Amino acid sequence: MPHPLRDRYCIVGVGETEYSQHSGRSTRAMAVEAVKKAMDDAGLTPKDVDGLLSYHMGDSTPSTAVASDLGIRPNFFMDVSGGGSSTEALIGLAMGAIEVGMCHTVAIYRSMNGYSQVRIGGTGVRAAAPLSGSALLTRPYGLISPLQQFAFAFTRHMMEYGTTNEQLAMVKVVHSRHASANPKAFKKNPVSVEDVLNSRWIVKPVAHLLDCCLETDNATCIIVTSAERARTLRQRPIYIMAVQGRGTRPFPDNPWAEAPITRIGGTYIAPRIFELAGVGPEDVDITGCYDAFTFTVVLQFEAYGFCKVGEGGHYVSSGIIALGGKRPNNTSGGHLCEGYTHGMNMVIENVRQLRGQADDYCPGWREGRHTYHYGPGGCRQVKDPEIAMNMGWGTPGYGSALILRR
Amino acid sequence: MPTYEYRGLVLHLPELDQEHWGYFEAARRHQLVVKRCLDCNLLRWEPGPSCPFCASLRWEWAPVSGKGEIYSYQIVYHSVHPGFRDWVPYPIVLVELDEQRGIPTPGYGLRIAANLVDAQFRPEREERVAIGARVQVVFMDLPNGLTLPQFALSGEPPRGRVWRHAG
């Protein structure tokens, strides 16, 4: 018997600001723009939205400010702490809030000046903060940035499975080609494996500069409502088959304790989300995998069963994840090339893909007319995708996942 | 509230923070300690307030040998914090201690992150860092009174497979 909430809720509106490294604006101004654009996309007015959810790392604008600015009066709002894996989890939280009757239509946003103000990479104000608690056991050793926190698992993956830097580089190569067909991508230049390998080491042996995502300024928004209401709105409804998050592996704050350390939070989420959705990895047409680093993609494809454990390097370099391949990943360019907004842009991209509305260089993209010629600077619309999956990475310790259909 | 400065980092060690206060107090005596559960007797790392295996709140500090092997490593080329710029490229190692390997579950281990340093407490050379290499704890006494546990190659023959990145 299908899960009672399967296909009961839809994503009806998406919107974002420009991806830049110099927004020159407050997170409040950007959040308001993103929410307004998502409402416009759905054909909703502020009076039609009565739920607001946001996630942040002490670097954003609260829902009450956004509500005040736009004339939204929420029956339910919440600003939760967190970055990666939050998008998917909050889509589930929105469904729950609607299901229990607290509200009926929820706008979820993330607004961050992730380059010009508070940088996730660990520099600036984050680096200057005093250390106490468990940070005393890592930061005095120069173990500070997210990449450094994840690197032990990545190195161990290379040792256990022979994953190579060339394979990792292919993730960036593929995503950069996708971004070249995305007018709003911050980095649109296609790169080669050699470009990645010739970029400087950040943390050896797991990441060169081009294996690392961008830091950008931007705001993004997704609107969720019931399937009944969705069918009366402007866009083709995109149905939420299942959502799961956040879930953890054992010892989520200390994921190095238990072997194999290459096993991530997604391993524990995968069986649940596929059971809820009633589909398997083989049924998924496009993926949006959290590409904070090229290695996070490899580990997540293994965790969710798109390939066998240890074969992620082969999976990402085989052509499967490229446009024109069997199951394209991050067709917008993702965090590596489009911009960094803690996972929300990859969900927005999958919604547009399922609608047939990828905003590429095809002259008729607004009306859904695409050439399906996937050269640089051309089309990036996948032909008639039915099912899309997003995988949200928190750390190796936890994550979230989402399966959508048209 | 003791506060220490190290490489431009500000380290706070409030006395109420028993998890870390006791750990650094032992380090000052050049002793590496972990927590032992007084109910199920298992050791744990990190030194949290509760036993992750039986949820007991009763614990004591237990000295360990400080011997083990490198379970994973990274060589930091781009220092995020300016205080480490004179150290790049520097290794951070994840050391699996000899105590309690594979207990209570296969593959569980007491794994501690620190720098791999040479006899002068400088970053160990990259070509000497390898998974499987044997190490021992050493104590880096800072002029401000704080002692940081670090690891150094012990010279013991490796017990299993040794691996390092070819690059």
Side-chain angles (χ1 to χ4, degrees):
Chain A
M1 200 178 97
H3 189 273
L5 296 188
R6 187 186 304 166
D7 300 338
R8 280 273 303 270
Y9 293 92
C10 293
I11 295 177
V12 294
V14 294
E16 72 272 83
T17 65
E18 179 193 12
Y19 296 104
S20 78
Q21 292 187 333
H22 47 79
S23 78
R25 300 193 291 164
S26 65
T27 55
R28 175 172 167 171
M30 292 195 299
V32 164
E33 181 189 326
V35 174
K36 176 73 162 84
K37 283 181 168 171
M39 289 191 299
D40 290 348
D41 179 53
L44 292 166
T45 71
K47 293 195 172 28
D48 301 319
V49 175
D50 68 344
L52 276 172
L53 291 170
S54 85
Y55 59 97
H56 67 98
M57 299 180 76
D59 58 357
S60 186
T61 294
S63 296
T64 46
V66 173
S68 298
D69 290 342
L70 284 169
I72 294 171
R73 194 199 60 74
N75 287 310
F76 173 66
F77 74 92
M78 192 166 283
D79 303 302
V80 305
S81 170
S85 80
S86 301
T87 309
E88 296 82 2
L90 287 196
I91 288 170
L93 196 58
M95 290 164 56
I98 301 169
E99 184 69 20
V100 299
M102 292 201 292
C103 57
H104 56 69
T105 302
V106 181
I108 304 162
Y109 69 88
R110 172 77 173 112
S111 184
M112 58 195 290
N113 278 319
Y115 184 85
S116 68
Q117 218 164 8
V118 182
R119 296 177 68 162
I120 300 299
T123 53
V125 292
R126 289 200 196 283
L131 306 179
S132 60
S134 56
L136 294 167
L137 305 176
T138 52
R139 297 197 171 211
Y141 303 108
L143 204 175
I144 293 168
S145 70
L147 175 58
Q148 291 165 7
Q149 291 163 30
F150 308 162
F152 290 137
F154 297 167
T155 304
R156 190 77 193 182
H157 197 276
M158 288 184 146
M159 176 258 192
E160 290 179 3
Y161 304 115
T163 308
T164 66
N165 294 109
E166 287 79 3
Q167 290 173 327
L168 299 174
M170 277 303 291
V171 177
K172 173 73 173 186
V173 170
V174 168
H175 292 189
S176 73
R177 285 185 192 152
H178 294 175
S180 77
N182 176 3
K184 65 184 180 300
F186 182 67
K187 290 275 187 199
K188 297 187 189 66
N189 58 310
V191 302
S192 66
V193 169
E194 291 68 35
D195 292 335
V196 179
L197 299 183
N198 290 334
S199 65
R200 64 189 169 92
W201 283 113
I202 303 299
V203 171
K204 197 174 172 182
V206 297
H208 298 83
L209 178 65
L210 293 186
D211 288 299
C212 304
C213 67
L214 307 169
E215 292 177 298
T216 56
D217 301 345
N218 54 260
T220 39
C221 179
I222 287 170
I223 299 179
V224 174
T225 195
S226 66
E228 294 76 28
R229 183 176 289 245
R231 288 192 276 267
T232 69
L233 298 179
R234 180 173 290 161
Q235 303 289 353
R236 168 187 208 143
I238 301 304
Y239 291 86
I240 300 165
M241 299 182 78
V243 63
Q244 178 68 42
R246 300 167 168 160
T248 84
R249 56 160 290 158
F251 311 101
D253 263 2
N254 188 15
W256 309 326
E258 191 212 34
I261 65 171
T262 51
R263 184 189 293 158
I264 59 169
T267 306
Y268 296 84
I269 290 165
R272 296 181 63 92
I273 184 138
F274 287 122
E275 188 191 340
L276 292 171
V279 297
E282 66 282 0
D283 300 310
V284 174
D285 299 313
I286 51 174
T287 53
C289 191
Y290 200 96
D291 53 349
F293 306 100
T294 52
F295 230 129
T296 59
V297 176
V298 171
L299 264 52
Q300 296 213 94
F301 280 133
E302 293 182 6
Y304 287 96
F306 288 99
C307 58
K308 290 184 182 148
V309 171
E311 294 182 359
H314 174 70
Y315 183 83
V316 298
S317 55
S318 66
I320 289 176
I321 69 167
L323 279 167
K326 183 179 164 196
R327 192 178 298 113
N329 183 62
N330 288 6
T331 48
S332 66
H335 290 147
L336 288 167
C337 302
E338 183 184 45
Y340 193 76
T341 180
H342 275 138
M344 198 176 280
N345 52 337
M346 278 88 80
V347 178
I348 291 175
E349 172 69 5
N350 281 354
V351 168
R352 292 197 177 121
Q353 284 281 349
L354 292 174
R355 289 177 180 172
Q357 285 180 350
D359 44 342
D360 52 25
Y361 290 97
C362 296
W365 68 267
R366 280 177 205 279
E367 293 75 42
R369 292 196 307 279
H370 294 272
T371 64
Y372 307 110
H373 295 147
Y374 300 130
C379 182
R380 76 169 199 281
Q381 176 67 52
V382 177
K383 199 163 179 29
D384 301 326
E386 296 282 346
I387 296 179
M389 179 158 179
N390 281 92
M391 290 156 269
W393 167 280
T395 66
Y398 64 93
S400 301
L402 170 72
I403 299 179
L404 304 172
R405 73 164 179 84
R406 66 176 187 183
Chain B
M1 182 190 292
T3 294
Y4 304 93
E5 189 273 341
Y6 174 61
R7 296 188 168 273
L9 299 166
V10 180
L11 285 56
H12 278 304
L13 270 169
E15 285 178 43
L16 284 179
D17 183 359
Q18 298 169 351
E19 275 71 64
H20 305 96
W21 175 262
Y23 174 75
F24 283 103
E25 203 174 49
R28 199 170 295 126
R29 302 191 306 270
H30 288 202
Q31 190 173 57
L32 186 67
V33 297
V34 300
K35 276 189 172 175
R36 182 204 308 279
C37 174
L38 287 173
D39 285 300
C40 74
N41 220 30
L42 287 171
L43 305 173
R44 62 179 183 259
W45 182 263
E46 299 175 358
S50 169
C51 175
F53 309 108
C54 76
S56 166
L57 304 182
R58 304 195 313 127
W59 54 268
E60 67 177 3
W61 289 111
V64 287
S65 67
K67 292 180 183 298
E69 65 183 47
I70 296 176
Y71 184 82
S72 192
Y73 74 86
Q74 55 183 295
I75 314 290
V76 179
Y77 270 72
H78 175 79
S79 112
V80 169
H81 195 280
F84 287 87
R85 274 183 200 148
D86 64 330
W87 253 37
V88 292
Y90 65 90
I92 312 175
V93 289
L94 184 63
V95 171
E96 182 164 280
L97 299 177
D98 287 344
E99 288 85 1
Q100 204 172 281
R101 296 179 73 181
I103 301 169
T105 54
Y108 182 85
L110 297 168
R111 300 197 188 119
I112 299 184
N115 299 121
L116 190 70
V117 296
D118 66 12
Q120 284 75 46
F121 293 102
R122 292 177 309 219
E124 185 54 89
R125 295 203 313 277
E126 183 181 325
E127 59 271 24
R128 287 165 58 82
V129 185
I131 288 176
R134 296 285 300 166
V135 297
Q136 65 189 28
V137 72
V138 293
F139 294 93
M140 189 165 84
D141 293 317
L142 303 177
N144 57 17
L146 184 76
T147 297
L148 271 186
Q150 296 278 24
F151 285 92
L153 295 168
S154 69
E156 288 175 84
R159 295 177 178 178
R161 181 181 171 197
V162 173
W163 180 92
R164 67 167 62 82
H165 187 255

